[in-house]
Coordinates of all heavy atoms in Angstrom, one line a residue:
M23 N 0.8 -1.2 0.0 CA -0.1 0.0 0.0 C 0.9 1.2 0.0 O 0.7 2.1 -0.8 CB -0.9 0.0 1.2 CG -1.8 1.1 1.3 SD -3.2 0.9 0.2 CE -4.3 2.2 0.7
A24 N 1.8 1.3 0.8 CA 2.7 2.4 0.9 C 3.5 2.6 -0.4 O 3.7 3.8 -0.9 CB 3.7 2.3 2.0
D25 N 3.9 1.6 -1.1 CA 4.7 1.7 -2.3 C 3.7 2.3 -3.5 O 4.2 3.1 -4.1 CB 5.2 0.3 -2.8 CG 6.3 -0.2 -1.9 OD1 7.0 0.7 -1.3 OD2 6.6 -1.4 -1.8
S26 N 2.5 1.8 -3.5 CA 1.6 2.3 -4.6 C 1.4 3.7 -4.3 O 1.2 4.5 -5.2 CB 0.3 1.5 -4.6 OG -0.3 1.5 -3.4
M27 N 1.2 4.1 -3.0 CA 0.9 5.6 -2.8 C 2.2 6.4 -3.1 O 2.0 7.5 -3.7 CB 0.6 5.8 -1.3 CG -0.7 5.3 -0.9 SD -1.1 5.5 0.8 CE -1.0 7.3 1.0
R28 N 3.3 5.8 -2.9 CA 4.6 6.6 -3.1 C 4.7 6.8 -4.7 O 5.1 7.9 -5.1 CB 5.7 5.9 -2.6 CG 7.0 6.7 -2.4 CD 8.1 6.0 -1.6 NE 7.8 5.5 -0.3 CZ 7.7 4.2 0.0 NH1 8.0 3.2 -0.9 NH2 7.3 3.8 1.2
R29 N 4.4 5.7 -5.4 CA 4.5 5.8 -6.9 C 3.6 6.9 -7.5 O 3.8 7.5 -8.5 CB 4.2 4.5 -7.5 CG 5.3 3.5 -7.5 CD 5.1 2.3 -8.3 NE 3.9 1.6 -7.9 CZ 3.9 0.5 -7.1 NH1 5.1 0.1 -6.6 NH2 2.8 -0.1 -6.8
R30 N 2.4 7.1 -6.8 CA 1.4 8.0 -7.2 C 1.7 9.4 -6.8 O 1.0 10.4 -6.9 CB 0.1 7.6 -6.9 CG -0.4 6.4 -7.7 CD -1.9 6.1 -7.4 NE -2.4 4.9 -8.2 CZ -2.4 3.7 -7.7 NH1 -2.1 3.4 -6.5 NH2 -2.8 2.8 -8.5
G31 N 2.7 9.6 -5.9 CA 3.0 10.8 -5.3 C 2.0 11.3 -4.1 O 1.9 12.4 -3.7
L32 N 1.4 10.3 -3.5 CA 0.5 10.6 -2.5 C 1.1 10.4 -1.1 O 2.1 9.5 -0.9 CB -0.7 9.5 -2.5 CG -1.5 9.6 -3.7 CD1 -2.6 8.5 -3.6 CD2 -2.2 10.9 -3.9
V33 N 0.9 11.2 -0.1 CA 1.4 11.3 1.1 C 0.2 11.1 2.2 O -0.8 11.8 2.1 CB 2.2 12.5 1.5 CG1 2.8 12.5 2.8 CG2 3.3 12.7 0.4
A34 N 0.4 10.2 3.1 CA -0.5 10.1 4.1 C -0.7 11.3 5.0 O 0.4 11.9 5.3 CB -0.3 8.8 4.9
R35 N -1.9 11.7 5.3 CA -2.1 12.7 6.3 C -1.8 12.2 7.8 O -2.3 11.3 8.1 CB -3.5 13.2 6.2 CG -3.8 14.4 7.1 CD -5.2 14.9 6.8 NE -6.2 13.9 7.3 CZ -6.9 14.0 8.3 NH1 -6.8 15.0 9.2 NH2 -7.8 13.1 8.6
R36 N -0.9 13.1 8.4 CA -0.6 12.8 9.8 C -1.8 13.2 10.8 O -2.2 14.3 10.6 CB 0.7 13.3 10.2 CG 1.9 12.9 9.4 CD 3.2 13.2 10.2 NE 4.2 12.7 9.3 CZ 4.9 11.7 9.6 NH1 4.6 10.9 10.5 NH2 6.0 11.3 8.8
I37 N -2.1 12.3 11.7 CA -3.0 12.7 12.6 C -2.6 13.4 13.7 O -1.6 13.0 14.4 CB -3.9 11.4 13.2 CG1 -4.5 10.7 12.0 CG2 -4.8 11.8 14.2 CD1 -5.1 9.4 12.4
K38 N -3.0 14.6 14.0 CA -2.6 15.4 15.0 C -3.2 15.0 16.4 O -4.4 15.1 16.5 CB -2.8 16.9 14.8 CG -2.1 17.5 13.7 CD -2.4 18.9 13.5 CE -1.6 19.5 12.3 NZ -2.0 20.9 12.0
R39 N -2.5 14.5 17.3 CA -3.0 14.1 18.6 C -2.9 15.3 19.6 O -2.0 16.0 19.8 CB -2.2 12.9 19.2 CG -2.1 11.8 18.2 CD -2.4 10.5 18.8 NE -2.2 9.3 18.0 CZ -3.3 8.7 17.4 NH1 -4.5 9.0 17.7 NH2 -3.1 7.7 16.6
R40 N -4.2 15.5 20.2 CA -4.2 16.5 21.2 C -3.7 15.9 22.6 O -3.8 14.7 22.9 CB -5.6 17.0 21.5 CG -6.2 17.6 20.3 CD -7.6 18.0 20.4 NE -7.8 18.7 21.8 CZ -9.0 18.9 22.3 NH1 -10.2 18.6 21.7 NH2 -9.1 19.5 23.4
G41 N -3.1 16.9 23.3 CA -2.7 16.4 24.6 C -3.8 16.2 25.5 O -4.9 16.7 25.4
G42 N -3.5 15.4 26.6 CA -4.7 15.1 27.6 C -5.1 16.4 28.3 O -4.3 17.2 28.5
L43 N -6.3 16.4 28.6 CA -6.8 17.6 29.3 C -6.6 17.7 30.9 O -6.5 18.6 31.5 CB -8.3 17.8 29.0 CG -8.6 18.1 27.4 CD1 -10.0 18.2 27.3 CD2 -7.9 19.3 27.0
A44 N -6.5 16.4 31.3 CA -6.3 16.3 32.8 C -4.9 16.3 33.2 O -4.1 15.7 32.6 CB -6.9 14.9 33.3
R45 N -4.6 17.2 34.1 CA -3.2 17.3 34.5 C -3.2 17.2 36.0 O -4.1 17.8 36.7 CB -2.7 18.6 34.1 CG -2.5 18.9 32.6 CD -1.3 18.3 32.1 NE -1.1 18.7 30.7 CZ -1.3 17.9 29.7 NH1 -1.7 16.7 29.9 NH2 -1.0 18.3 28.5
Q46 N -2.2 16.6 36.5 CA -2.1 16.4 38.0 C -1.6 17.7 38.6 O -0.7 18.4 38.1 CB -1.1 15.3 38.3 CG -0.9 15.0 39.8 CD 0.1 13.9 40.1 OE1 0.7 13.4 39.1 NE2 0.3 13.6 41.3
D47 N -2.3 18.1 39.7 CA -1.9 19.4 40.4 C -0.7 19.0 41.3 O -0.9 18.2 42.4 CB -3.0 19.9 41.2 CG -2.6 21.2 41.9 OD1 -1.6 21.7 41.7 OD2 -3.6 21.7 42.6
R48 N 0.5 19.3 41.0 CA 1.6 19.0 41.8 C 1.6 19.7 43.2 O 2.3 19.1 44.1 CB 2.9 19.3 41.1 CG 3.0 18.8 39.7 CD 3.6 17.5 39.8 NE 3.9 16.8 38.4 CZ 3.9 15.7 38.2 NH1 3.7 14.7 39.1 NH2 4.0 15.2 36.9
T49 N 0.9 20.8 43.3 CA 0.8 21.3 44.7 C -0.2 20.9 45.5 O -0.3 21.3 46.7 CB 0.7 22.9 44.4 OG1 -0.6 23.2 43.8 CG2 1.8 23.5 43.6
A50 N -1.1 20.0 45.1 CA -2.2 19.5 45.8 C -1.6 18.6 46.9 O -0.7 17.9 46.7 CB -3.2 18.8 44.9
P51 N -2.4 18.6 48.1 CA -1.9 17.7 49.1 C -2.1 16.3 48.9 O -3.1 15.9 48.2 CB -2.8 18.1 50.3 CG -4.1 18.7 49.7 CD -3.5 19.4 48.4
K52 N -1.2 15.5 49.2 CA -1.2 14.1 48.9 C -1.9 13.5 50.1 O -1.7 13.6 51.3 CB 0.2 13.4 48.8 CG 1.0 14.1 47.9 CD 0.5 13.9 46.5 CE 1.5 14.5 45.5 NZ 0.9 15.5 44.6
F53 N -2.9 12.5 49.8 CA -3.7 11.9 50.8 C -3.0 10.5 51.1 O -2.4 9.8 50.3 CB -5.1 11.5 50.4 CG -5.9 12.8 50.2 CD1 -6.0 13.4 48.8 CD2 -6.6 13.4 51.2 CE1 -6.7 14.6 48.7 CE2 -7.3 14.6 51.0 CZ -7.3 15.2 49.9
P54 N -3.1 10.2 52.5 CA -2.3 8.9 52.9 C -3.0 7.7 52.3 O -4.3 7.6 52.1 CB -2.4 8.9 54.3 CG -3.6 9.8 54.7 CD -3.7 10.9 53.6
D55 N -2.3 6.6 52.0 CA -2.8 5.4 51.5 C -3.1 4.5 52.8 O -2.3 3.7 53.2 CB -1.7 4.7 50.5 CG -2.3 3.5 49.9 OD1 -3.5 3.2 50.1 OD2 -1.4 2.8 49.3
L56 N -4.3 4.6 53.3 CA -4.7 4.0 54.5 C -4.8 2.5 54.3 O -4.5 1.7 55.3 CB -6.0 4.6 54.9 CG -6.0 6.0 55.2 CD1 -7.4 6.4 55.7 CD2 -5.0 6.4 56.3
L57 N -5.1 1.9 53.0 CA -5.2 0.6 52.8 C -3.8 -0.1 52.4 O -3.7 -1.3 52.3 CB -6.2 0.3 51.8 CG -7.7 0.7 52.2 CD1 -8.6 0.4 51.1 CD2 -8.1 -0.1 53.4
K58 N -2.9 0.7 52.2 CA -1.6 0.2 51.7 C -1.7 -0.6 50.5 O -1.1 -1.7 50.3 CB -0.8 -0.5 52.8 CG -0.7 0.3 54.1 CD 0.4 1.3 54.0 CE 0.7 1.9 55.3 NZ 0.3 3.3 55.5
R59 N -2.6 -0.3 49.6 CA -2.9 -1.0 48.3 C -3.4 -2.4 48.6 O -3.4 -3.2 47.6 CB -1.7 -1.0 47.4 CG -1.3 0.5 47.0 CD -2.1 1.0 46.0 NE -1.8 2.3 45.7 CZ -2.4 3.2 45.0 NH1 -3.5 2.9 44.6 NH2 -1.9 4.4 44.8
D60 N -3.9 -2.7 49.8 CA -4.4 -4.1 50.0 C -5.9 -3.9 50.2 O -6.4 -3.4 51.0 CB -3.8 -4.6 51.3 CG -4.4 -5.9 51.7 OD1 -4.9 -6.6 50.8 OD2 -4.4 -6.3 52.9
F61 N -6.5 -4.3 49.0 CA -8.0 -4.3 49.0 C -8.8 -5.4 49.3 O -10.0 -5.5 49.3 CB -8.5 -3.9 47.6 CG -7.7 -2.5 47.1 CD1 -6.7 -2.6 46.2 CD2 -8.2 -1.3 47.7 CE1 -6.1 -1.4 45.8 CE2 -7.6 -0.2 47.2 CZ -6.6 -0.1 46.4
T62 N -8.0 -6.5 49.8 CA -8.8 -7.7 50.3 C -9.3 -7.5 51.6 O -8.7 -6.9 52.5 CB -7.8 -8.9 50.3 OG1 -6.7 -8.6 51.1 CG2 -7.3 -9.1 48.9
A63 N -10.4 -8.1 52.0 CA -11.1 -8.0 53.3 C -11.5 -9.4 53.8 O -11.8 -10.2 53.0 CB -12.3 -7.1 53.2
T64 N -11.5 -9.6 55.1 CA -11.8 -10.8 55.7 C -13.4 -11.0 55.7 O -13.9 -12.2 55.8 CB -11.3 -11.0 57.0 OG1 -11.6 -10.0 57.9 CG2 -9.7 -11.0 56.9
A65 N -14.2 -10.0 55.6 CA -15.6 -9.9 55.7 C -16.2 -8.8 54.9 O -15.4 -7.9 54.8 CB -16.1 -9.9 57.2
P66 N -17.4 -8.9 54.5 CA -18.1 -7.8 53.8 C -18.1 -6.5 54.7 O -18.2 -6.6 55.9 CB -19.4 -8.3 53.4 CG -19.3 -9.8 53.6 CD -18.3 -10.1 54.7
N67 N -18.2 -5.4 54.0 CA -18.4 -4.2 54.6 C -17.3 -3.7 55.5 O -17.5 -3.0 56.5 CB -19.8 -4.1 55.4 CG -20.6 -2.8 55.2 OD1 -20.2 -2.1 54.4 ND2 -21.5 -2.8 56.1
Q68 N -16.1 -4.1 55.3 CA -14.9 -3.7 56.0 C -14.1 -2.6 55.4 O -13.6 -1.7 56.0 CB -14.0 -4.9 56.4 CG -14.5 -5.8 57.4 CD -13.4 -6.8 57.8 OE1 -12.6 -7.2 56.9 NE2 -13.6 -7.5 59.0
K69 N -13.9 -2.8 54.1 CA -13.1 -1.7 53.4 C -14.0 -1.2 52.3 O -14.6 -2.0 51.5 CB -11.9 -2.4 52.7 CG -11.0 -2.9 53.8 CD -9.7 -3.4 53.2 CE -8.8 -4.0 54.3 NZ -7.5 -4.5 53.7
W70 N -14.0 0.1 52.1 CA -14.8 0.7 51.1 C -13.9 1.6 50.2 O -13.2 2.5 50.8 CB -15.9 1.6 51.7 CG -17.0 0.9 52.2 CD1 -17.2 0.1 53.3 CD2 -18.4 0.9 51.7 NE1 -18.4 -0.5 53.5 CE2 -19.2 0.0 52.4 CE3 -19.0 1.5 50.5 CZ2 -20.5 -0.2 52.2 CZ3 -20.4 1.2 50.3 CH2 -21.0 0.4 51.2
V71 N -13.9 1.4 49.0 CA -13.0 2.2 48.1 C -13.8 2.5 46.9 O -14.8 1.8 46.6 CB -11.7 1.5 47.7 CG1 -10.8 1.2 48.8 CG2 -12.1 0.1 47.0
G72 N -13.5 3.6 46.2 CA -14.2 4.0 45.1 C -13.7 5.2 44.5 O -12.7 5.8 44.9
D73 N -14.2 5.6 43.3 CA -13.8 6.8 42.6 C -15.0 7.7 42.7 O -16.1 7.3 42.7 CB -13.6 6.4 41.1 CG -12.9 7.4 40.4 OD1 -13.0 8.6 40.8 OD2 -12.4 7.2 39.2
K74 N -14.7 9.0 42.7 CA -15.7 10.0 42.9 C -16.8 9.9 41.8 O -17.9 10.2 41.9 CB -15.2 11.4 43.0 CG -16.2 12.4 43.2 CD -15.4 13.8 43.3 CE -16.4 14.9 43.4 NZ -15.8 16.2 43.5
V75 N -16.3 9.5 40.6 CA -17.1 9.5 39.3 C -18.1 8.3 39.6 O -19.3 8.4 39.0 CB -16.3 9.2 38.1 CG1 -17.1 8.9 37.0 CG2 -15.3 10.3 37.9
E76 N -17.8 7.3 40.4 CA -18.7 6.1 40.5 C -19.8 6.3 41.5 O -20.8 5.6 41.5 CB -17.9 5.0 40.8 CG -16.9 4.5 39.8 CD -16.1 3.4 40.3 OE1 -16.2 2.9 41.5 OE2 -15.1 3.0 39.6
I77 N -19.7 7.4 42.3 CA -20.7 7.6 43.4 C -21.8 8.5 42.8 O -21.6 9.5 42.4 CB -20.0 8.3 44.6 CG1 -18.9 7.5 45.1 CG2 -21.1 8.6 45.7 CD1 -18.1 8.1 46.2
P78 N -23.1 7.9 42.8 CA -24.2 8.6 42.3 C -24.6 9.8 43.2 O -24.4 9.6 44.4 CB -25.3 7.6 42.1 CG -25.0 6.5 43.0 CD -23.6 6.6 43.1
P79 N -25.1 10.9 42.6 CA -25.6 11.9 43.5 C -26.8 11.5 44.3 O -27.5 10.7 43.9 CB -25.8 13.1 42.5 CG -26.3 12.3 41.3 CD -25.4 11.2 41.2
N80 N -27.1 12.2 45.4 CA -28.3 11.9 46.2 C -29.5 12.4 45.4 O -29.4 13.3 44.5 CB -28.2 12.8 47.5 CG -27.0 12.4 48.4 OD1 -26.7 11.2 48.5 ND2 -26.6 13.3 49.1
P81 N -30.6 11.8 45.7 CA -31.9 12.2 45.0 C -32.1 13.7 45.1 O -32.1 14.3 46.2 CB -33.0 11.4 45.7 CG -32.3 10.3 46.3 CD -30.9 10.7 46.6
G82 N -32.4 14.2 44.0 CA -32.7 15.7 44.0 C -31.4 16.6 43.7 O -31.6 17.7 43.3
E83 N -30.3 16.0 43.8 CA -29.0 16.7 43.4 C -28.7 16.5 42.0 O -29.2 15.5 41.4 CB -27.9 16.3 44.2 CG -28.0 16.7 45.7 CD -26.8 16.2 46.5 OE1 -25.8 15.7 45.9 OE2 -26.8 16.4 47.7
S84 N -28.0 17.5 41.4 CA -27.6 17.3 40.0 C -26.1 17.0 40.0 O -25.4 17.2 40.8 CB -27.8 18.6 39.3 OG -27.1 19.7 39.8
C85 N -25.7 16.4 38.9 CA -24.3 15.9 38.6 C -24.0 16.4 37.3 O -24.7 16.4 36.3 CB -24.3 14.4 38.7 SG -22.7 13.8 38.4
A86 N -22.8 17.1 37.3 CA -22.4 17.7 36.0 C -22.0 16.8 35.0 O -22.1 16.9 33.7 CB -21.1 18.6 36.3
W87 N -21.6 15.5 35.3 CA -21.2 14.4 34.4 C -21.9 13.1 34.8 O -22.0 12.6 35.9 CB -19.8 14.3 34.5 CG -19.2 13.2 33.6 CD1 -18.9 13.4 32.2 CD2 -19.0 11.8 33.8 NE1 -18.5 12.2 31.7 CE2 -18.5 11.3 32.6 CE3 -19.1 11.0 34.9 CZ2 -18.2 9.9 32.6 CZ3 -18.8 9.7 34.8 CH2 -18.4 9.2 33.6
R88 N -22.6 12.6 33.8 CA -23.2 11.3 34.0 C -22.6 10.2 33.1 O -22.3 10.5 31.8 CB -24.7 11.4 33.6 CG -25.4 12.3 34.6 CD -26.4 11.6 35.3 NE -27.2 12.5 36.2 CZ -27.6 12.1 37.3 NH1 -27.4 10.9 37.8 NH2 -28.2 13.1 38.0
P89 N -22.3 9.0 33.5 CA -21.7 8.0 32.7 C -22.8 7.6 31.6 O -23.9 7.8 31.7 CB -21.4 6.8 33.6 CG -22.1 7.1 34.8 CD -22.5 8.6 34.9

């Protein structure tokens, strides 16, 4: 494919990739790793972890982003 394009004088268009929009705030306080990356529990309801995006808003509250 590349050879036939070259013979015809065609050049592939390069895709411009945008940089990511999310940047880590280096000055933000670091939170302690209370679980020490050990997410196993001996019984249910002992360790709760999650991402803010995964927690639904309370009824009647609005959320700027919905999955």
